[in-house]
Amino acid sequence: MAGQARKQQHEAHQRNRRTERRGTGTDDEEPRTHRGATGTRTETGAWAFHREEPAAQGRIARVRQWWARAWGSAGHERHTLLLIGKSTLAATIAWFFSYNLLEAESPAFAPFSAVLIMQVTVYQSLLQSLRYVGAVATGVAVQAALGYLAGPDLLTFALVAVVALTIGRWPALGSQGSQVATAAFFAFSTYVTAPAGLGKITHLAQIILLVLIGCGVGVIVNVTLVPPLRYRSAEHGIHTLARALCDLVSDMYPAMRQGEMEEERISHWRGRAEQTGELIRQAENRLRTARESLYFNPRSRLGRYRDPKGFEGYGAVLKALERTMYQMASLIRSLDQWRQDGSDRDRRFLCNYADFLEAVSRIVQVLGELDEDTLADQTDELCRLADQAQRCCRQVTDQAEQDGLPLTNPAYPYGVLVVEATRLMDEFRYTCDVLRRQAA
């Protein structure tokens, strides 16, 4: 009986929402949609991340959802597949050169180097490859010099370790500093086992050659095979982050609306929210790459990219999305700690909150499609959607006060959820203001 009543309440709520949409006059007719694994697809082919039913649970269902997200949007899943594919190709090519063509004594250095410098951005690949080659060459040189002067004994190895580890702390080498000692240790092993005379020097030089081959292959693959965007990398970083957020929110509000808030589902949301840290770092790298590309590309003197400050608006939007991600993680933690009693006030609160999150998903959907060529129109759309979300947020607060929910009691998450909704609205209002200035 309770399940049937809840279903009837849900259907009545959907009819009311459709009536309200028709009454606003903002949309002549909503496009018909088709259900998908991670959202819905309109007849124009654009992805609209909105669910009417909670996502299926279970290992197989989640695997299908993971692949659907990888296929449907440029998020964490697609980046993972792309990085694996490019790294595999680079490692294979490097191994072919080192083993089949050069017949090197230690051919693994080449594929290892190719994978190591396979960074998300081309700029980082170039920077890290230079640092890595410098670190390896330094480590080999340290071993060659000390090995030639003192001989390959235990005391020499200790001296090589001290010198290499000290040099590895040089800030100019960055994260590749540890490779100085690693290269010195491998070089020492090669020096000990290599034949006397010119053979020792040849084997040590071969290590540097293999590293150069690996780094060269890695950089070429990263540049030629689906290279990271340059001029629009700032937009692309925002797209990736916004789509990941939209996909997460679009999985949450149908389950909240129908009261299907089991522990396993919320734990899955929490895990996905925690994965966004890597996306944030990637988005920041893309924004930095967009700025850095101004100094290397002659096209940087054309259009809006003549002024480095042109990216400040995107930087502000990115920071707002980053804060929104952290607030969503906090919101999910509050849901995870909530033990509902199935009361009517809980259902009303969750239903209103689901309406608010659905309005949020429409905002971040637009952010996931930002385009400098249509930024003015998109900004107007964002402001309109923000007004709708603000009304939904106000309804959450009003209903909570009307039902007398314990907003100040730390044992219940109502107050935290209301505060997070308010903070989310502040971020989206700020984002609209920033984009309006950017489009002006």
Side-chain angles (χ1 to χ4, degrees), residues 233-250:
S233 61
E235 289 179 0
H236 192 63
I238 293 175
H239 292 173
T240 301
L241 203 55
R243 288 168 182 168
L245 176 60
C246 185
D247 196 26
L248 175 61
V249 174
S250 296

Side-chain angles (χ1 to χ4, degrees), residues 155-363:
L155 182 60
T156 303
F157 180 85
L159 185 59
V160 167
V162 170
V163 175
L165 290 171
T166 302
I167 296 175
R169 303 184 72 85
W170 186 27
L173 295 175
S175 60
Q176 302 299 335
S178 61
Q179 300 300 330
V180 177
T182 301
F185 296 156
F186 276 106
F188 191 91
S189 175
T190 301
Y191 188 84
V192 170
T193 58
L198 187 61
K200 292 183 179 294
I201 302 300
T202 302
H203 280 68
L204 293 180
Q206 191 179 80
I207 293 177
I208 300 178
L209 176 60
L210 292 174
V211 169
L212 287 171
I213 291 175
C215 290
V217 170
V219 170
I220 291 174
V221 169
N222 203 23
V223 171
T224 58
L225 182 62
V226 195
L229 298 176
R230 291 179 174 86
Y231 286 104
R232 298 209 174 212
S233 61
E235 289 179 0
H236 192 63
I238 293 175
H239 292 173
T240 301
L241 203 55
R243 288 168 182 168
L245 176 60
C246 185
D247 196 26
L248 175 61
V249 174
S250 296
D251 276 349
M252 291 175 61
Y253 67 76
M256 296 180 70
R257 183 172 291 147
Q258 296 194 14
E260 298 186 10
M261 302 287 291
E262 60 270 17
E263 184 177 351
E264 180 184 4
R265 189 186 299 274
I266 298 176
S267 177
H268 181 52
W269 293 342
R270 188 170 181 175
R272 287 172 58 186
E274 291 172 352
Q275 289 179 349
T276 57
E278 179 63 25
L279 292 181
I280 292 173
R281 287 189 290 271
Q282 291 175 10
E284 291 173 343
N285 286 339
R286 289 191 178 100
L287 180 60
R288 184 166 53 250
T289 301
R291 291 192 177 109
E292 290 166 349
S293 66
L294 298 175
Y295 304 104
F296 302 106
N297 198 312
R299 291 180 59 192
S300 64
R301 297 184 177 277
L302 302 176
R304 62 183 293 276
Y305 294 106
R306 289 178 296 179
D307 185 4
K309 294 182 180 179
F311 294 106
E312 295 304 319
Y314 286 146
V317 173
L318 181 59
K319 288 298 181 182
L321 277 175
E322 180 180 347
R323 292 190 293 269
T324 300
M325 282 291 194
Y326 292 140
Q327 287 159 8
M328 286 300 303
S330 175
L331 188 155
I332 295 172
R333 284 194 298 270
S334 299
L335 291 175
D336 194 20
Q337 298 168 3
W338 187 11
R339 297 298 175 260
Q340 305 170 51
D341 56 11
S343 63
D344 290 339
R345 68 177 189 177
D346 278 358
R347 286 194 292 270
R348 284 193 296 270
F349 181 82
L350 288 176
C351 194
N352 288 328
Y353 214 90
D355 291 344
F356 168 69
L357 290 183
E358 184 174 5
V360 166
S361 72
R362 297 181 187 279
I363 295 175

Side-chain angles (χ1 to χ4, degrees), residues 393-414:
C393 181
R394 194 178 304 114
Q395 185 176 356
V396 170
T397 305
D398 294 343
Q399 187 66 53
E401 293 176 351
Q402 181 180 340
D403 288 342
L405 296 180
L407 300 180
T408 58
N409 189 340
Y412 296 92
Y414 304 113

Side-chain angles (χ1 to χ4, degrees), residues 89-104 107 110-111 209-210 213-214 216-217 220:
L89 178 62
T92 303
I93 295 175
W95 175 266
F96 173 77
F97 277 106
S98 62
Y99 182 77
N100 296 87
L101 297 184
L102 293 181
E103 298 182 351
L209 176 60
L210 292 174
I213 291 175
V217 170
I220 291 174

